[in-house]
């Protein structure tokens, strides 16, 4: 599985997602838009990401990509199923999604406030959601990511 982190604002959320990606066995993270990368402009490890990632930013392969749409199209051409994590009218509850073990999956996770754009959702093969039973409309993006990545990688 690969993951695209699109327009994530918080360095702490990014660090948490690196750590969870490492734990779940994610092959690679693509960081796009305003998503902070683990290195500063001088190539040194960003302490705000590293504080939460606890070294996972060094063990998980990652790449910054300028266009989320382009990387989605490239992954689709390479046989990946694109699964976007978002609440929408066409979304499927996360525990109802089943893929064969050898299916290549690319999970797309979006901005903490705005989520994913309509054009990204239209490029997705599946839009998955985590149902909310309380008063809040959503979970923290790194928590939602953890639920989604484990749901998609379960045996």
């Amino acid at each position: 599985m690969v993951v695209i982190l699109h327009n994530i604002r918080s360095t702490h959320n990014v660090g948490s997602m690196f750590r969870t990606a490492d734990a779940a066995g994610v092959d690679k993270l693509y960081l796009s838009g305003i998503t902070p990368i683990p290195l500063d402009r001088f190539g040194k490890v960003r302490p705000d990401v590293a504080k939460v990632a606890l070294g996972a930013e060094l063990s998980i392969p990652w790449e910054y990509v300028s266009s989320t749409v382009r990387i989605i199209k490239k992954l689709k051409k390479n046989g990946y199923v694109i699964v976007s994590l978002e609440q929408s009218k066409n979304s499927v509850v996360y525990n109802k999604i089943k893929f064969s073990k050898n299916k290549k999956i690319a999970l797309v996770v979006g901005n903490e406030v705005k989520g994913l754009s309509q054009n990204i959702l239209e490029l997705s093969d599946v839009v998955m959601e985590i149902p909310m039973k309380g008063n809040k409309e959503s979970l923290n993006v790194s928590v939602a990511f953890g639920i989604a990545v484990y749901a998609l990688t379960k045996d």
Side-chain angles (χ1 to χ4, degrees):
M1 172 188 290
V2 298
V3 175
I4 302 167
L5 303 180
H6 176 68
N7 283 339
I8 305 298
R9 297 178 311 170
S10 165
T11 55
H12 291 141
N13 282 335
V14 171
S16 177
M17 288 188 270
F18 264 90
R19 190 169 168 187
T20 302
D22 178 74
V26 168
D27 297 314
K28 184 173 186 175
L29 292 175
Y30 292 95
L31 313 177
S32 68
I34 64 167
T35 304
I37 65 172
L39 303 174
D40 67 16
R41 63 189 178 117
F42 302 109
K44 294 187 181 191
V45 172
R46 290 184 64 158
D48 46 357
V49 174
K51 175 182 181 180
V52 183
L54 293 177
E57 76 283 8
L58 304 172
S59 64
I60 289 286
W62 64 272
E63 177 182 344
Y64 179 81
V65 293
S66 59
S67 171
T68 301
V69 168
R70 263 197 307 271
I71 192 62
I72 288 172
K73 287 179 178 179
K74 179 181 176 183
L75 291 168
K76 282 182 88 121
K77 282 183 183 176
N78 289 324
Y80 280 84
V81 173
I82 308 301
V83 179
S84 289
L85 181 59
E86 184 64 77
Q87 296 169 332
S88 79
K89 62 181 178 171
N90 298 322
S91 59
V92 179
V93 176
Y94 76 99
N95 59 357
K96 303 285 188 216
I97 298 172
K98 307 279 189 256
F99 295 113
S100 62
K101 285 189 180 193
N102 57 353
K103 197 63 163 170
K104 297 192 303 187
I105 299 169
L107 174 63
V108 186
V109 181
N111 182 271
E112 292 92 332
V113 176
K114 296 180 181 178
L116 294 170
S117 66
Q118 188 61 37
N119 64 335
I120 290 174
L121 295 178
E122 289 171 2
L123 287 170
S124 303
D125 298 300
V126 178
V127 178
M128 75 183 298
E129 76 171 282
I130 300 166
M132 298 288 104
K133 295 181 180 182
N135 295 322
K136 293 296 171 187
E137 294 179 7
S138 66
L139 294 166
N140 172 278
V141 68
S142 65
V143 173
F145 166 73
I147 293 167
V149 76
Y150 273 96
L152 293 171
T153 58
K154 70 178 183 276
D155 293 332

